Amino acid sequence: MRKNHIDIISLGCSKNLVDSEVLMRQFEAVGYTVSHDPEHPNGNIAIINTCGFIGDAKEESINMILRFCQRKQLGQLERLYVMGCLSQRYLEELKIEIPEVDKFYGKFDYNGIIADIGKEYRQDLRLERHLTTPKHYAYLKISEGCNRTCSYCAIPIITGKYKSRKIEDIEQEVCWLVSIGVKEFQVIAQDLTYYGYDIYKDYKIAELISRLSDIKGVEWLRLHYAYPTNFPYSLLKVMRERDNVCNYLDIALQHISDPMLKKMRRSITSEETYDLLARIREEVPGICLRTTLMVGHPGETEADFNQLKEFVQKIKFDRMGAFKYSDEEKTYANLHYKDDVPLDVKQARLDELMNIQQSISYNLNQSKIGQVWKVIIDREEGDYYVARSEFDSPEVDMEILIQKDKNSLSIGNFYRVKIIKAEEFDFYAQIQK
Ligand code: SF4
């Protein structure tokens, strides 16, 4: 057990990861060493940053907490803290059920841990982080919370109302990240497109992205978690005109049939969704569209599902994820609807949808052979360098494999490559001199 060493375990989404990175920087500044590796913990203090979004994520968080409780019982750990969405949502229950944990924090008061270990929070470091990602890219969280009322979603219950960060703070953070070598920024929020409305009484995402793209050293800005309703079309102009804003948009659409969109309280219709996607593709030619869809929401009929399949076949998303409805406590759906789609039907629909997407993805990728792209090298793996293009977000999208044999490439550097082969989820490429 290493003294004055803190293991931070981040579960859930990249927004959680940013909170862990901010906290790690604070601990380093007050004399602790830190690590972020759940497989090799060895510190005298551990902090579990939990996820409480849906059933599977909650289970994973509980299991991780119990694993570290065991380490404590075995004398391999002195103090255990828990923070994040699960403890934000179930604080009182967790205190009773898992008394081995020294203290539970929520999603926004975790700086209290610093006082708990007898140190002071460093306000001057509030925009700095200990990056856990490869040093050339970072997640950039521009807000917390969500004002939408999607029927199935527990996030507003956990995170509360939308809180935008000030543009100046985000700019300062990006400048600091550039100064430590970050070139690529994954711009994240619960709802990217609502940015600024709470503090500036106007949608400010286009202005924010153009100001960030003006910062010297920012090579790529990639946008995640857009919401379809009241879409700020001014953003598309910025994406089209700025080379360092990736031609990539992650926009969660969840469904397409009008009865489902109504039941899900998504405040958009099927026709409006088709129109929005057509306009995005028209205004940003060659844009890579990623979406997330849900199957098995209460009331989903075979006809609704057929519409969803048809939608996926018509639109041909470049990237798509999907998941089954999970009946989450105190959500609108949980309080007002019966979870009436049997689990095996949910699973069958999910499998069918992902199979459709797999062949769409394969065919779309074939059409990329021969194209020349700017890519960034993430890592080395066996005989290959593993890279990504502007069309691929880390961890969730495609990777580009470049043979090592004749090349000596540097991680974190950009190169031009020609796509020579394509599979469902990977490309093979050659360096272009
Ligand atoms: S937009 Fe909807 S799904 Fe996304 S976080 Fe907000 S309530 Fe949840």
Side-chain angles (χ1 to χ4, degrees):
M1 182 171 43
R2 253 171 89 186
K3 283 287 180 193
N4 296 329
H5 184 81
I6 302 178
D7 291 297
I8 295 208
I9 314 302
S10 293
L11 302 169
C13 68
S14 48
K15 289 161 282 257
N16 246 17
L17 187 66
V18 171
D19 294 344
S20 296
E21 293 179 343
V22 169
L23 201 48
M24 290 168 84
R25 179 76 188 94
Q26 289 285 333
F27 289 133
E28 281 175 327
V30 293
Y32 282 78
T33 52
V34 291
S35 58
H36 188 261
D37 178 359
E39 299 319 313
H40 306 97
N42 61 0
N44 61 322
I45 299 175
I47 300 170
I48 318 273
N49 189 358
T50 60
C51 176
F53 176 42
I54 52 173
D56 297 352
K58 292 191 278 187
E59 203 180 314
E60 184 194 14
S61 293
I62 297 278
N63 291 340
M64 187 64 80
I65 296 170
L66 296 177
R67 221 175 96 189
F68 278 76
C69 287
Q70 211 173 23
R71 285 180 59 77
K72 212 176 155 202
Q73 277 148 7
L74 295 169
Q76 297 165 345
L77 184 63
E78 287 170 357
R79 271 190 265 168
L80 175 59
Y81 296 99
V82 170
M83 60 181 268
C85 295
L86 184 79
S87 39
Q88 176 77 26
R89 197 171 172 190
Y90 302 107
L91 196 67
E92 296 317 318
E93 295 92 328
L94 288 168
K95 281 184 190 167
I96 296 163
E97 283 159 25
I98 319 180
E100 297 86 347
V101 171
D102 290 275
K103 201 164 180 184
F104 287 93
Y105 284 85
K107 197 166 167 46
F108 304 111
D109 60 352
Y110 53 79
N111 284 334
I113 301 175
I114 300 166
D116 269 356
I117 60 174
K119 303 290 180 182
E120 253 182 63
Y121 175 72
R122 292 272 306 269
Q123 184 64 22
D124 59 319
L125 300 178
R126 70 190 175 80
L127 295 176
E128 299 191 7
R129 278 192 264 161
H130 171 110
L131 287 186
T132 61
T133 52
K135 298 293 172 257
H136 54 273
Y137 75 79
Y139 292 97
L140 183 68
K141 182 158 62 170
I142 63 173
S143 65
E144 267 295 0
C146 185
N147 286 2
R148 311 280 179 182
T149 57
C150 306
S151 62
Y152 49 86
C153 186
I155 291 173
I157 300 169
I158 300 169
T159 61
K161 288 290 180 200
Y162 200 99
K163 285 195 196 70
S164 299
R165 295 177 62 205
K166 284 199 292 221
I167 292 183
E168 295 72 24
D169 277 357
I170 301 171
E171 281 178 319
Q172 209 184 322
E173 183 182 350
V174 167
C175 290
W176 182 78
L177 288 167
V178 166
S179 75
I180 62 164
V182 176
K183 301 169 181 175
E184 178 187 1
F185 297 83
Q186 323 301 342
V187 184
I188 58 173
Q190 300 295 0
D191 173 358
L192 187 92
T193 29
Y194 192 88
Y195 175 75
Y197 207 84
D198 56 316
I199 54 175
Y200 303 116
K201 299 297 164 245
D202 191 8
Y203 296 112
K204 286 282 191 181
I205 187 67
E207 180 185 336
L208 172 69
I209 298 302
S210 45
R211 282 170 64 165
L212 298 182
S213 113
D214 287 337
I215 297 172
K216 197 164 177 321
V218 171
E219 295 266 354
W220 274 350
L221 289 157
R222 187 175 294 103
L223 310 184
H224 302 81
Y225 305 101
Y227 192 89
T229 313
N230 300 332
F231 188 89
Y233 286 106
S234 51
L235 180 61
L236 302 179
K237 184 168 180 297
V238 176
M239 294 179 79
R240 188 176 60 246
E241 292 174 355
R242 304 275 175 136
D243 287 345
N244 60 354
V245 179
C246 298
N247 266 0
Y248 176 101
L249 185 65
D250 165 40
I251 179 164
L253 296 168
Q254 308 300 356
H255 215 288
I256 194 63
S257 88
D258 281 321
M260 272 300 101
L261 289 170
K262 196 153 188 299
K263 274 206 142 190
M264 287 176 160
R265 295 158 54 102
R266 295 285 294 177
S267 334
I268 192 168
T269 66
S270 174
E271 190 182 341
E272 288 163 346
T273 305
Y274 275 105
D275 292 350
L276 169 67
L277 296 173
R279 179 153 175 196
I280 291 173
R281 281 181 163 162
E282 190 195 315
E283 295 206 20
V284 189
I287 191 168
C288 175
L289 280 177
R290 160 174 271 283
T291 196
T292 306
L293 301 173
M294 177 190 287
V295 296
H297 182 278
E300 186 185 54
T301 63
E302 207 47 46
D304 294 319
F305 181 58
N306 289 341
Q307 273 193 52
L308 189 61
K309 287 189 286 182
E310 197 188 310
F311 176 54
V312 169
Q313 280 151 341
K314 265 197 196 142
I315 297 294
K316 295 186 173 33
F317 290 100
D318 305 277
R319 317 275 182 261
M320 189 196 93
F323 58 102
K324 303 189 287 282
Y325 170 79
S326 170
D327 190 28
E328 288 305 312
E329 287 163 89
K330 300 200 185 91
T331 58
Y332 184 88
N334 170 259
L335 299 172
H336 296 88
Y337 308 142
K338 191 167 170 303
D339 183 8
D340 57 3
V341 180
L343 187 57
D344 60 341
V345 174
K346 284 179 184 161
Q347 190 59 51
R349 288 178 181 170
L350 180 64
D351 296 344
E352 194 177 348
L353 206 61
M354 291 317 289
N355 283 341
I356 293 171
Q357 180 61 21
Q358 192 162 344
S359 61
I360 288 171
S361 179
Y362 180 80
N363 295 331
L364 283 175
N365 287 355
Q366 299 316 303
S367 70
K368 312 293 182 196
I369 294 172
Q371 293 189 4
V372 174
W373 288 347
K374 174 183 173 180
V375 301
I376 194 163
I377 309 293
D378 278 338
R379 65 183 187 281
E380 294 181 31
E381 208 169 281
D383 299 336
Y384 293 95
Y385 294 103
V386 181
R388 281 174 300 107
S389 71
E390 68 174 306
F391 309 122
D392 296 300
S393 196
E395 316 271 337
V396 290
D397 288 331
M398 317 263 174
E399 292 187 322
I400 299 165
L401 307 178
I402 304 160
Q403 276 276 355
K404 265 194 195 167
D405 56 357
K406 301 186 212 65
N407 300 308
S408 163
L409 310 180
S410 306
I411 291 175
N413 278 9
F414 288 97
Y415 298 90
R416 295 185 65 72
V417 301
K418 185 177 195 173
I419 303 299
I420 55 171
K421 186 176 158 210
E423 293 170 347
E424 276 95 347
F425 302 117
D426 285 321
F427 294 100
Y428 291 82
Q430 272 169 353
I431 289 289
Q432 298 295 288
K433 299 291 178 226

